[in-house]
């Protein structure tokens, strides 16, 4: 300790002060930052504020975490060596063993400040420093390897950090009476589930998704239905940065696989776990389309197949759960179909619920592997790695929860710091002086107080009936808490402040400063609702983990579940109770710059973090009374040489010796206090003055010892030798000084000349560079001014730049498909002709590429669709809705046609068949029939009977209306009165059937689209009519005039 104290005091001007408590200008932020900056540039990233450790992320590897460093800090007094996270970890460990009580280390800071790394270093130190047995080693390995697993499932790349923890983590490490790690327990808080379905630009989803796709074995990916390409999955590409240079997903995958085995998760559970991760990716690719009625329908059966297989849920059940909502009314259950937007919401809510509950299952599994089976009493060291205060350009619900958490922790931090200071003063018998500090209880109450707090208002708005929106929530806050000094909105602000707020914003004045929150999305994120039938679908899963996460025993109350913010508030209350029962230690992590560059110290950014981490507040509390305190024995041992009465040996008690020493040094009564076991010094300058006096005294003592030795010697020869040695040493020192001074002057002169030449060279280069730049700019401006003139010397380079720029932009913005041909980039006037030529060439290229890629089956389908288009496009109202529906070869399988009928027409090959409804010619009663097209004729079949045969030669034509009904009238030549007349049919596959008929009968122009009414022959000499009109619902009935009336709904074409 003496060595360290000496080093820290004498080297303070070069590397700053190791303990901010000794900072003389302790109220000055500038002095605080200067000291932090000075140490950072010397690669001294750790500094104390008493027992609080400040850590600055160096963004580079430092050789200070080796096994040798760990051994150096083991069992050493806290202030004996330079500040280090190992010193804090060791002091916590030894205090726990000696006092046999529980402790916790709070690690805080913003994203990218190094919280996760600090937590790892503490765990690694305990893994090395704790006693070792086979059992203890197993626990140690599980504690260490729980980190990469939780990082894979709970961490993600954000704009500020490539490995940002997107959840809060509190880990208890349990120790036996000998200091062996015998167990542990982990609590997680507020996993950012919304990241599963949405990522901002420049951010990624959770690491595990990319690790599985990039690092998973081929057999595993094949079993999961995945491809080794992250671009194929919607949930992985929204941030547009699936690949990150600083992240090795393949290597991390191997680490996670090994860690899962060490944590003792069975192979069966591991398979189910990866099946769930893959099912979330497939679920994200499920797409919905609107049917004729505007309801959501599924069209990508392949993705549904994989989700069904991996979760062990029948496809039909899964499809029902994604497209319908179950509504219970007394004893009835009604399934209400979703719109496309509601279906997408239900899909995303299900994906978030699956991932969130699986994460909780994983944390519980890790806890099971860490459980301590010994019932004897254990002491605990807790590690709390929690999100730091967050301020982004746009702050939403997540930032509100995180900053509320930091407000609560700041409140706890100040309370515990004041408590520990007060206890030390009382223990030493020194009067406690009240410390003034900003009490952020007013802000905590603004957020959490019952009935009038923001959380209560948000819950009330989420749960109330009627049209509740984010803006009504904002209005509710304005009405209820509009007069609060820490709350302001666009409506409540003055003219100047209003310019900085949008209408959907509100601003809170936190202890760390102002934060503006955008209210958009608050209600949705707070509800985070999973529809009840979504849970019921999951309960049918055969995946063991899903069955555990969605148990059938879970109460299915019709009451709405607790909102997200209420759950978070409750968990914070529980966390606060846990922390209040333990002794606190703190690690405050600081990010020196946003660019992640080593050696760069951004004063503005660091100043902001110092403010919101409460470092100045903590320093003021520690310095409110006395800056320096040390035990009497230690103080006397170092400074006893400064007083004749205490040097060289003091006979009395250490307290009396210190009293004698400070009396000799002339300490004023208000500069110090004498406690029971320690001396308390109020000002750092008093200690520094004492230390400077001690440094002078050391040199005098050395000279005195030497003189005493020479005077008391009885041997003259020895005196002569000593005199010669001293003289020679002095001469040698003088000569060496003279020679070194001459060399120094020569080097300084040479350096000055080199510096002046180098500066001249740089100045000439800069001048030439600026002259070239001015020439280029001048030429560019002249070219711009003459750009519309014919090509000449003045504008040739500018026009060349315009051509190159346009062609480059055109290359990056070419239409992706032939359907986007009209999105061609607008050319500058000089390139219009060239642009039109390039457009024609590129369109021909896309058409050729498209045509070559068409399969024979697809080509046949397109030919049929083209025929249908020529017959009905622009003529029949519901034609557009048939375009997206593929035509089938037949609508009735051979096994569904009566054997008798097949035998009767066995000589004719069946080309197509379809179910129809035939309306009687007299009375218009509907009859279910089958319409069969063969090579020669059309047959109308009733079960085993052929009711009518129509040769294609006798087919005069087909009439359909221009409305959205499915009626067709087959007009047949009827010469004999006994022959049956025209057929009135209704067919759900009208366009498909008529297209097939036109091709099979080779009557492409036989279909006629009519308006209002169609006349048909009942039999020769008798005629009937079918009238068509639009209405509010589809109906078919016999009108009063005896006509068949077909009423259909009006359909808006897309």
């Amino acid at each position: 300790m003496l060595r360290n104290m000496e080093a820290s005091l004498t080297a303070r001007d070069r590397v700053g002060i190791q303990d901010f408590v000794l900072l003389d200008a302790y109220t000055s932020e500038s002095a605080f930052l200067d000291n932090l900056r000075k140490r950072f540039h010397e690669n001294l990233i750790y500094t104390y504020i008493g027992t609080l450790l400040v850590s600055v992320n160096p963004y580079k590897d430092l050789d200070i975490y080796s096994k040798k460093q760990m051994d150096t800090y083991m069992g050493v007094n806290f202030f004996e060596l330079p500040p280090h996270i190992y010193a804090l970890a060791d002091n916590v460990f030894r205090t726990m063993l000696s006092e046999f009580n529980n402790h916790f280390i709070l690690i805080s800071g913003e994203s990218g400040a190094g919280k996760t790394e600090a937590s790892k270093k503490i765990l690694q130190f305990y893994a090395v420093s704790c006693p070792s047995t086979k059992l203890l080693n197993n626990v140690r390995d599980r504690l260490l390897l729980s980190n990469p697993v939780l990082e894979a499932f709970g961490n993600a790349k954000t704009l500020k950090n490539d490995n940002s923890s997107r959840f809060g983590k509190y880990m208890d490490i349990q120790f036996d009476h000998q200091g062996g790690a015998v167990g542990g327990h982990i609590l997680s808080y507020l996993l950012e589930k919304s990241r599963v379905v949405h990522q901002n630009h420049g951010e990624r989803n959770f690491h595990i998704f990319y690790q599985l796709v990039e690092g998973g074995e081929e057999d595993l990916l094949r079993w999961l239905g995945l491809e080794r390409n992250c671009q194929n999955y919607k949930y992985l590409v929204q941030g547009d940065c699936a690949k990150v240079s600083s992240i090795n997903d393949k290597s991390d995958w191997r680490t996670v696989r090994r860690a899962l085995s060490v944590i003792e998760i069975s192979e069966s559970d591991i398979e189910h776990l990866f099946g769930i991760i893959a099912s979330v990716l497939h679920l994200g690719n499920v797409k919905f389309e609107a049917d004729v009625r505007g309801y959501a329908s599924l069209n990508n059966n392949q993705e549904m197949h994989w989700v069904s297989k991996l979760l062990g849920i029948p496809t039909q059940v899964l499809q029902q759960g994604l497209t319908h909502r179950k509504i219970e009314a007394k004893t009835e259950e009604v399934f209400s179909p979703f719109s496309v937007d509601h279906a997408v919401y239900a899909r995303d809510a299900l994906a978030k619920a699956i991932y969130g509950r699986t994460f909780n299952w994983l944390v519980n599994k890790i806890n099971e592997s860490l459980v301590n089976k010994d019932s004897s009493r254990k002491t605990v060291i807790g590690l709390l790695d929690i999100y730091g205060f967050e301020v982004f350009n746009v702050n939403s619900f997540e930032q509100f929860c995180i900053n509320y958490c930091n407000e609560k922790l700041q409140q706890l931090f100040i309370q515990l710091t004041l408590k520990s200071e007060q206890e030390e003063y009382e223990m030493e018998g020194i009067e406690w002086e009240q410390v003034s500090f900003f009490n952020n209880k007013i802000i905590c109450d603004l957020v959490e107080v019952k009935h009038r707090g923001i959380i209560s208002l948000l819950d009330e708005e989420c749960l109330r009936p009627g049209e509740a929106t984010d803006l009504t929530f904002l209005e509710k806050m304005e009405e209820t808490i509009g007069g609060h000094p820490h709350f302001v909105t666009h409506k409540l602000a003055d003219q100047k402040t209003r310019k900085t707020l949008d209408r959907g914003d509100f601003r809170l004045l936190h202890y760390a400063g102002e934060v503006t929150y955008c209210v958009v999305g608050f209600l949705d994120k707070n509800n985070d609702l999973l529809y009840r039938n979504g849970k019921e679908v999951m309960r049918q899963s055969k995946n063991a983990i899903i069955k555990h996460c969605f148990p059938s025993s879970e109460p299915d109350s019709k009451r709405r579940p607790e909102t997200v913010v209420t759950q978070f508030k409750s968990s914070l209350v529980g966390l606060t109770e846990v922390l209040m029962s333990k002794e606190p230690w703190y690690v405050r992590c600081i990010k020196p710059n946003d660019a992640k560059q080593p050696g760069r110290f951004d004063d503005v950014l660091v100043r902001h973090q110092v403010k919101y981490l409460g470092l100045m507040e903590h320093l003021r509390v520690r310095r409110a009374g006395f800056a320096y305190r040390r035990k009497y024995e230690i103080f006397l041992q170092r400074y006893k040489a400064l007083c004749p009465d205490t040097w060289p040996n003091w006979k009395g008690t250490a307290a009396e010796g210190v009293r004698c020493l400070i009396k000799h040094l002339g300490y004023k009564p208000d500069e110090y206090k004498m406690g029971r076991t320690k001396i308390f010094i109020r000002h750092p300058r008093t200690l520094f003055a004492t230390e400077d006096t001690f440094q002078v005294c050391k040199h005098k003592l050395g000279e005195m010892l030497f003189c005493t030795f020479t005077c008391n010697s009885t041997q003259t020869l020895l005196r002569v030798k000593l005199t010669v040695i001293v003289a020679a040493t002095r001469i040698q020192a003088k000569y060496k000084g003279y020679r070194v001074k001459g060399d120094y002057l020569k080097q300084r002169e040479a350096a000055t000349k080199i510096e002046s030449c180098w500066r001249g060279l740089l100045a000439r280069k800069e001048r030439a560079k600026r002259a070239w730049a001015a020439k280029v700019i001048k030429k560019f401006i002249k070219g711009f001014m003459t750009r519309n003139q014919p090509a000449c010397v003045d504008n040739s380079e500018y026009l060349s730049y315009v051509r190159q720029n346009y062609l480059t932009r055109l290359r990056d913005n070419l239409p992706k498909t032939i359907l986007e041909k009209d999105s061609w980039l607008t050319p500058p006037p000089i390139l219009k002709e060239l642009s039109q030529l390039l457009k024609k060439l590129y369109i021909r290229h896309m058409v050729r590429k498209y045509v070559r890629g068409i399969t024979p089956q697809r080509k046949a389908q397109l030919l049929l669709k083209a025929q249908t288009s020529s017959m009905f496009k622009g003529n029949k109202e519901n034609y557009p809705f048939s375009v997206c529906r593929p035509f089938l070869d037949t609508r009735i399988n051979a096994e569904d046609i009566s054997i008798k009928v097949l035998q009767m027409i066995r000589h004719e090959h069946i080309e197509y068949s379809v179910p129809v409804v035939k309306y009687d010619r007299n009375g218009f009663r509907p009859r279910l029939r089958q319409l069969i097209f063969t090579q020669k004729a059309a047959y109308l079949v009733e079960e085993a009977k052929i009711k009518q045969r129509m040769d294609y030669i006798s087919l005069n034509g087909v009439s359909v209306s221009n409305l959205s009904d499915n009626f067709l009238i087959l007009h047949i030549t009827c010469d004999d009165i006994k022959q049956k007349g025209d057929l009135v049919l209704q067919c759900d596959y009208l366009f498909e059937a008529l297209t097939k008929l036109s091709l099979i009968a080779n009557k492409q122009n036989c279909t006629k689209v009519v308006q209002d009414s169609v006349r048909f022959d009942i039999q020769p000499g008798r005629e009937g009519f079918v009238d068509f009109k639009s209405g509010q619902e589809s109906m078919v009935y016999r009108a009063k005039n005896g006509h068949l009336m077909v009423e259909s709904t009006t359909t808006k074409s897309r």
Side-chain angles (χ1 to χ4, degrees):
M1 181 170 181
L2 295 177
R3 291 195 307 274
N4 178 62
M5 189 183 297
E6 178 180 355
S8 66
L9 291 171
T10 58
R12 61 183 179 269
D13 294 327
R14 183 175 68 85
V15 295
I17 295 173
Q18 294 182 357
D19 191 339
F20 281 110
V21 172
L22 298 179
L23 196 64
D24 202 30
Y26 70 93
T27 59
S28 167
E29 275 192 11
S30 298
F32 191 98
L33 288 174
D34 285 343
N35 190 59
L36 207 59
R37 186 190 311 105
K38 193 181 294 185
R39 293 180 61 76
F40 174 74
H41 288 309
E42 291 287 337
N43 290 328
L44 300 172
I45 64 171
Y46 295 118
T47 313
Y48 293 137
I49 305 178
T51 56
L52 180 147
L53 180 69
V54 180
S55 169
V56 184
N57 193 338
Y59 288 122
K60 62 182 178 182
D61 291 331
L62 298 177
D63 187 23
I64 58 173
Y65 300 110
S66 62
K67 173 69 166 58
K68 183 179 179 182
Q69 286 282 338
M70 293 184 188
D71 293 339
T72 303
Y73 279 91
M74 282 183 203
V76 178
N77 187 282
F78 187 58
F79 295 102
E80 187 170 337
L81 292 172
H84 201 292
I85 197 162
Y86 291 161
L88 180 86
D90 182 70
N91 201 36
V92 176
F93 182 69
R94 288 188 296 108
T95 306
M96 177 200 69
L97 286 181
S98 62
E99 299 179 0
F100 206 62
N101 58 358
N102 298 327
H103 297 253
F104 77 89
I105 303 173
L106 172 58
I107 306 171
S108 60
E110 75 168 56
S111 183
K115 301 188 297 297
T116 302
E117 285 301 313
S119 177
K120 287 182 187 175
K121 299 304 179 193
I122 293 172
L123 278 175
Q124 289 166 2
F125 180 81
Y126 289 149
V128 172
S129 62
C130 293
S132 176
T133 66
K134 186 175 180 181
L135 174 63
L136 297 179
N137 287 345
N138 285 340
V139 174
R140 178 199 65 192
D141 291 343
R142 291 171 194 168
L143 282 168
L144 288 174
L145 289 174
S146 66
N147 257 330
V149 174
L150 291 176
E151 282 184 19
F153 285 84
N155 288 24
K157 181 200 179 304
T158 64
L159 292 172
K160 293 189 174 184
N161 184 5
D162 290 347
N163 187 31
S164 176
S165 297
R166 305 319 297 161
F167 70 107
K169 181 180 73 175
Y170 175 75
M171 173 187 282
D172 268 339
I173 310 170
Q174 298 170 348
F175 298 89
D176 60 18
H177 66 282
Q178 294 180 332
V182 293
H185 188 79
I186 297 170
L187 294 174
S188 64
Y189 299 94
L190 195 67
L191 176 71
E192 189 185 13
K193 293 186 292 185
S194 60
R195 183 170 293 273
V196 175
V197 300
H198 174 74
Q199 307 92 46
N200 293 326
H201 185 76
E203 298 191 351
R204 296 207 315 176
N205 209 323
F206 293 104
H207 293 324
I208 188 61
F209 292 110
Y210 304 92
Q211 292 171 5
L212 175 59
V213 173
E214 295 292 338
E217 298 78 11
E218 291 293 341
D219 290 343
L220 177 62
L221 292 184
R222 196 177 303 113
W223 180 75
L224 297 174
L226 297 178
E227 299 174 8
R228 202 179 295 283
N229 185 356
C230 294
Q231 301 298 324
N232 293 343
Y233 303 101
K234 181 190 171 188
Y235 281 167
L236 302 187
V237 296
Q238 297 174 46
D240 199 23
C241 63
K243 299 272 188 183
V244 181
S245 59
S246 62
I247 298 176
N248 188 337
D249 290 315
K250 291 183 180 178
S251 174
D252 293 343
W253 166 258
R254 291 191 290 270
T255 303
V256 170
R257 282 302 301 258
R258 185 170 67 87
L260 288 172
S261 300
V262 172
I263 295 170
E264 291 187 345
I265 297 179
S266 67
E267 282 301 317
S268 172
D269 280 346
I270 291 175
E271 283 185 7
H272 287 143
L273 180 61
F274 293 147
I276 292 170
I277 300 304
S279 73
V280 171
L281 293 180
H282 287 301
L283 198 57
N285 283 359
V286 170
K287 296 178 182 177
F288 301 93
E289 290 188 0
D291 62 12
V292 178
R293 297 172 296 170
Y295 297 135
S297 63
L298 288 163
N299 63 351
N300 44 351
N301 293 327
Q302 188 64 23
E303 299 294 350
M304 287 297 296
H305 161 75
W306 284 110
V307 177
S308 171
K309 175 189 171 186
L310 295 172
L311 297 183
I313 301 171
T315 306
Q316 293 300 323
V317 173
L318 195 58
Q319 184 168 341
Q320 177 89 349
L322 290 175
T323 57
H324 290 75
R325 177 184 181 185
K326 187 169 79 172
I327 301 173
E328 294 184 5
K330 295 184 179 178
T331 58
E332 285 188 294
E333 291 183 352
V334 179
F335 284 91
S336 173
F338 285 141
S339 65
V340 171
D341 289 343
H342 277 102
V344 170
Y345 175 85
R347 178 200 65 190
D348 289 348
L350 183 62
K352 290 188 290 183
I354 290 173
Y355 192 84
R357 295 194 182 200
T358 302
F359 182 81
N360 292 336
W361 173 88
L362 184 61
V363 172
N364 291 334
K365 268 293 184 184
I366 294 173
N367 286 336
E368 287 176 14
S369 73
L370 296 176
V371 70
N372 173 32
K373 297 178 175 63
D374 186 355
S375 59
S376 60
R377 188 188 167 196
K378 302 293 180 293
T379 50
V380 166
I381 294 177
L383 290 178
L384 179 59
D385 176 1
I386 200 94
Y387 357 73
F389 200 83
E390 288 192 351
V391 185
F392 298 138
N393 292 330
V394 178
N395 301 289
S396 189
F397 178 76
E398 291 84 5
Q399 282 68 50
F400 173 76
C401 291
I402 288 169
N403 294 343
Y404 162 55
C405 172
N406 276 270
E407 286 287 356
K408 292 295 289 182
L409 290 177
Q410 174 68 6
Q411 190 179 32
L412 178 69
F413 171 59
I414 293 295
Q415 289 174 358
L416 292 177
T417 303
L418 286 172
K419 179 184 172 185
S420 63
E421 284 288 293
Q422 191 171 357
E423 284 177 353
E424 184 176 11
Y425 277 53
E426 290 173 355
M427 192 182 301
E428 292 292 327
I430 294 177
E431 183 181 354
W432 170 253
E433 301 173 7
Q434 288 299 323
V435 180
S436 61
F437 64 95
F438 172 66
N439 189 346
N440 67 336
K441 183 177 184 299
I442 186 174
I443 306 172
C444 293
D445 288 346
L446 170 64
V447 175
E448 67 183 8
V449 73
K450 285 186 177 181
H451 307 306
R452 293 181 57 83
I454 294 176
I455 290 177
S456 294
L457 296 176
L458 178 57
D459 283 353
E460 182 181 328
E461 204 64 15
C462 286
L463 301 176
R464 77 172 176 86
E467 285 295 323
T469 65
D470 296 318
L471 291 179
T472 60
F473 163 57
L474 184 62
E475 292 169 0
K476 187 80 172 177
M477 287 196 293
E478 290 172 341
E479 291 173 12
T480 310
I481 56 176
H484 198 284
H486 291 262
F487 173 83
V488 70
T489 66
H490 183 275
K491 179 180 177 181
L492 302 173
D494 56 40
Q495 197 66 31
K496 183 179 178 181
T497 308
R498 190 172 293 174
K499 294 178 181 178
T500 64
L501 287 167
D502 290 334
R503 294 190 182 277
D505 291 350
F506 68 93
R507 181 173 293 165
L508 296 183
L509 179 56
H510 290 280
Y511 76 91
E514 294 180 343
V515 182
T516 302
Y517 299 98
C518 177
V519 80
V520 175
F522 262 59
L523 264 62
D524 276 347
K525 292 177 181 178
N526 189 39
N527 274 323
D528 193 24
L529 286 178
L530 177 62
Y531 292 115
R532 190 181 302 120
N533 56 314
K535 294 181 183 178
E536 292 176 355
V537 169
M538 289 298 105
R539 287 172 189 157
Q540 299 187 40
S541 172
K542 294 179 181 176
N543 183 301
I545 298 176
I546 293 293
K547 288 174 72 174
H548 184 274
C549 293
F550 294 88
S552 56
S553 58
E554 181 180 0
D556 200 8
S557 172
K558 295 180 182 178
R559 293 180 58 192
R560 294 175 66 136
E562 277 192 336
T563 59
V564 172
V565 73
T566 300
Q567 293 177 36
F568 185 55
K569 177 184 174 184
S570 301
S571 63
L572 270 184
V573 171
L575 176 63
T576 304
E577 291 173 356
V578 170
L579 298 184
M580 288 294 284
S581 66
K582 296 179 172 63
E583 296 296 321
W585 302 77
Y586 305 99
V587 178
R588 295 294 200 236
C589 299
I590 291 177
K591 181 166 66 172
N593 61 77
D594 275 328
K596 307 172 190 172
Q597 292 181 357
R600 179 178 161 191
F601 192 92
D602 186 335
D603 280 30
V604 175
L605 180 65
V606 175
R607 186 185 299 271
H608 176 66
Q609 293 173 83
V610 166
K611 184 177 181 182
Y612 78 64
L613 287 172
L615 298 184
M616 295 300 296
E617 199 86 9
H618 185 75
L619 178 57
R620 285 202 308 110
V621 170
R622 290 301 302 260
R623 279 294 303 271
F626 298 89
Y628 178 84
R629 60 207 74 173
R630 285 292 182 272
K631 287 189 176 296
Y632 290 136
E633 293 81 4
I634 296 172
F635 189 83
L636 182 62
Q637 176 66 25
R638 179 165 181 79
Y639 296 117
K640 64 182 179 180
L642 299 180
C643 175
D645 295 334
T646 57
W647 175 261
N649 295 306
W650 174 253
K651 302 296 184 181
T653 64
E656 293 170 347
V658 170
R659 196 183 302 277
C660 178
L661 174 62
I662 60 177
K663 183 178 179 182
H664 176 77
L665 292 173
Y667 280 19
K668 296 178 182 178
D670 63 338
E671 289 182 338
Y672 74 97
K673 288 284 184 185
M674 301 288 286
R676 291 190 176 93
T677 63
K678 296 178 182 178
I679 178 172
F680 289 71
I681 298 177
R682 189 178 297 278
H683 304 297
R685 61 175 177 269
T686 306
L687 179 66
F688 292 151
T690 304
E691 179 63 28
D692 292 340
T693 305
F694 175 65
Q695 294 299 323
V696 173
C697 181
K698 270 203 312 185
H699 296 294
K700 288 183 178 179
L701 280 173
E703 291 178 1
M704 287 173 60
L705 288 171
F706 178 75
C707 291
T708 301
F709 172 76
T710 55
C711 292
N712 293 336
S713 176
T714 57
Q715 298 182 11
T716 305
L717 182 61
L718 183 60
R719 285 202 304 271
V720 171
K721 285 184 178 180
L722 285 173
T723 305
V724 171
I725 289 171
V726 170
T729 302
R730 288 180 178 175
I731 293 170
Q732 189 180 29
K734 288 284 186 183
Y735 175 72
K736 283 182 178 179
Y738 171 78
R739 192 174 65 181
V740 169
K741 183 178 179 182
D743 291 342
Y744 166 73
L745 291 174
K746 288 180 183 178
Q747 289 175 3
R748 188 174 70 175
E749 182 181 1
T752 304
K753 287 182 179 179
I754 293 170
E755 186 178 10
S756 61
C757 291
W758 178 248
R759 285 181 175 176
L761 176 64
L762 291 178
R764 287 190 292 275
K765 282 186 176 181
E766 182 66 21
R767 181 178 176 279
K769 187 176 179 181
R770 291 188 178 187
W772 172 83
K775 185 178 178 182
V776 170
I777 293 170
K778 184 178 178 182
K779 201 166 188 179
F780 187 88
I781 294 172
K782 199 168 185 180
F784 176 78
M785 295 171 64
T786 59
R787 65 190 183 281
N788 293 325
Q789 298 176 11
C792 59
V793 176
D794 291 337
N795 63 9
S796 59
E797 289 190 17
Y798 177 79
L799 295 179
S800 175
Y801 165 76
V802 169
R803 278 192 294 272
Q804 181 182 355
N805 180 264
Y806 173 70
L807 292 174
T808 302
R809 287 188 298 115
L810 182 61
R811 178 196 63 194
D812 297 334
N813 294 279
L814 287 171
K816 299 294 187 294
T817 66
I818 190 66
L819 298 177
E820 299 174 7
K821 62 182 181 180
D822 292 332
S823 63
W824 192 262
L825 202 64
T826 304
I830 193 174
L831 297 176
K832 280 186 178 179
E833 186 177 347
L834 173 63
S835 176
Q836 290 174 359
L837 179 61
L838 288 174
K839 183 176 180 181
K840 288 180 181 177
L841 288 172
Y842 187 69
I843 288 172
R844 289 181 63 185
H845 164 71
M846 285 196 296
V847 170
R848 178 177 293 179
K849 185 178 178 182
Y850 178 77
V851 170
R852 286 180 176 176
I854 294 176
T855 62
Q857 294 82 0
R858 179 69 174 162
K859 183 176 181 181
Q861 186 73 217
L862 289 175
L863 288 173
L864 287 174
K865 289 291 183 179
Q867 175 65 22
T868 309
S869 177
S870 66
M871 293 165 64
F872 297 107
K873 185 176 180 181
N875 296 326
K876 188 154 177 68
E877 193 175 285
N878 59 342
Y879 163 72
F881 295 96
S882 72
V883 175
C884 61
R885 296 179 179 174
F887 289 169
L888 303 182
D889 292 336
T890 183
R891 292 291 175 175
I892 303 175
N893 296 324
E895 56 267 22
D896 294 330
I897 300 174
S898 173
I899 296 175
K900 290 183 180 180
V901 173
L902 292 175
Q903 288 176 348
M904 283 186 244
I905 60 173
R906 63 183 179 278
H907 299 299
E908 299 179 35
H909 181 261
I910 296 176
E911 299 289 344
Y912 177 77
S913 54
V914 64
V916 296
V917 177
K918 181 248 183 187
Y919 286 85
D920 290 349
R921 299 174 185 84
N922 297 308
F924 300 119
R925 280 180 296 180
R927 312 283 189 182
L928 291 176
R929 299 287 187 265
Q930 294 177 339
L931 184 60
I932 301 173
F933 296 152
T934 67
Q935 296 168 334
K936 298 178 181 180
Y939 292 89
L940 189 68
V941 176
E942 177 190 7
E943 296 181 353
K945 297 179 183 179
I946 296 178
K947 302 296 288 185
Q948 189 171 346
R949 183 181 189 272
M950 296 150 283
D951 289 328
Y952 295 139
I953 299 172
S954 63
L955 182 63
N956 289 338
V958 182
S959 295
V960 296
S961 78
N962 65 326
L963 302 179
S964 61
D965 58 86
N966 294 323
F967 272 76
L968 65 148
I969 295 92
L970 298 179
H971 299 286
I972 303 162
T973 302
C974 186
D975 299 327
D976 189 350
I977 194 168
K978 294 181 179 180
Q979 288 183 337
K980 296 181 179 180
D982 298 342
L983 282 174
V984 180
L985 304 176
Q986 183 181 10
C987 179
D988 289 340
Y989 308 98
L990 177 73
F991 300 102
E992 179 180 283
L994 291 180
T995 304
K996 296 280 188 179
L997 176 61
S998 68
L999 294 175
I1000 295 168
N1002 195 21
K1003 291 180 178 284
Q1004 280 77 7
N1005 299 318
C1006 70
T1007 303
K1008 181 181 179 183
V1009 181
V1010 298
Q1011 296 182 5
D1012 300 334
S1013 182
V1014 176
R1015 187 194 67 79
F1016 67 94
D1017 292 332
I1018 298 175
Q1019 60 186 43
R1022 287 185 63 196
E1023 61 182 20
F1025 291 89
V1026 181
D1027 296 336
F1028 298 93
K1029 71 172 185 177
S1030 298
Q1032 293 184 348
E1033 58 180 325
S1034 298
M1035 291 188 295
V1036 180
Y1037 57 90
R1038 185 173 183 177
K1040 292 180 180 180
N1041 59 2
H1043 297 182
L1044 178 63
M1045 175 59 69
V1046 178
E1047 189 172 337
S1048 57
T1049 56
T1050 303
T1051 308
K1052 294 181 180 179
S1053 61
R1054 293 180 296 180

